[in-house]
Amino acid sequence: MTALSAPAADQPDLSFLLDRTSHVLRTKVAAALAEIGMTARMHCVLVHALEQERTQMQLAQLGDMDKTTMVATVDALERAGLAERRPSSRDRRARVIVVTEKGARTAARSQEIVDRVHREALSDLTDGEREVLLRALRRMAEGQLAVPAAPPAPVRRARQRTA
């Protein structure tokens, strides 16, 4: 019996490299934010809500969160006194997330923490390498990797006839 071997790749495993570094970075950010009782999602909502008036749906899209996760995140922010749901000034039917003064102070602190973790993550690189990496990642994020592929259509089963 002959041993089978994996096919030779002609490109580095970009998916592994990005997935691995992204996973480790997310865990480091999560651990650092947990020290002040925050999650990355809470940080994301506070920072983006401070930028401009945004609805829960808009914030969910920016943070890549589903509706249930977004509701739970905003509930936690409200319980902590960091944000409130209010009617939009532009559309009274829509609800926006408004950051409280305490929330703004917390967002500033959480941004300092996230910036520190990012700085530490990039510290193994020289200044030149850091600039090249970030420029390349931005170009990829705005180019070929700007929009995810549509998920494959689910396989539909034939309808079962009921007698």
Side-chain angles (χ1 to χ4, degrees):
M1 181 170 181
T2 60
L4 301 176
S5 60
D10 69 351
Q11 295 293 309
D13 190 345
L14 183 60
S15 293
F16 168 77
L17 294 171
L18 292 173
D19 284 347
R20 178 69 182 160
T21 54
S22 178
H23 169 72
V24 171
L25 182 58
R26 280 192 314 273
T27 63
K28 288 180 181 245
V29 166
L33 287 173
E35 293 177 12
I36 63 166
M38 291 284 290
T39 67
R41 289 182 178 125
M42 292 167 78
H43 167 75
C44 177
V45 170
L46 287 178
V47 169
H48 289 300
L50 281 166
E51 292 172 340
Q52 67 184 55
E53 184 176 284
R54 290 191 163 114
T55 64
Q56 272 190 202
M57 175 122 20
Q58 290 169 324
L59 290 166
Q61 289 172 339
L62 284 169
D64 197 25
M65 289 180 252
D66 61 42
K67 185 178 178 179
T68 303
T69 302
M70 182 63 191
V71 168
T73 301
V74 175
D75 287 349
L77 290 169
E78 282 190 317
R79 279 192 305 275
L82 303 176
E84 302 170 350
R85 292 174 175 96
R86 291 190 190 157
S88 168
S89 63
R90 291 181 283 232
D91 179 356
R92 295 307 234 172
R93 297 168 296 173
R95 307 282 285 170
V96 295
I97 306 307
V98 177
V99 179
T100 64
E101 286 186 30
K102 179 181 177 185
R105 288 190 304 273
T106 302
R109 178 67 183 121
S110 66
Q111 188 62 59
E112 290 170 2
I113 291 168
V114 169
D115 287 345
R116 175 181 48 84
V117 174
H118 289 173
R119 207 172 20 260
E120 289 168 0
L122 293 168
S123 68
D124 288 335
L125 305 176
T126 65
D127 289 344
E129 290 171 329
R130 214 172 7 258
E131 289 174 27
V132 168
L133 173 66
L134 294 173
R135 188 171 46 247
L137 287 172
R138 282 187 193 103
R139 187 179 315 157
M140 290 171 68
E142 294 167 358
Q144 291 292 324
L145 300 180
V147 179
V155 177
R156 296 189 64 156
R157 296 186 336 209
R159 285 190 166 182
Q160 302 285 328
R161 291 189 183 224
T162 57

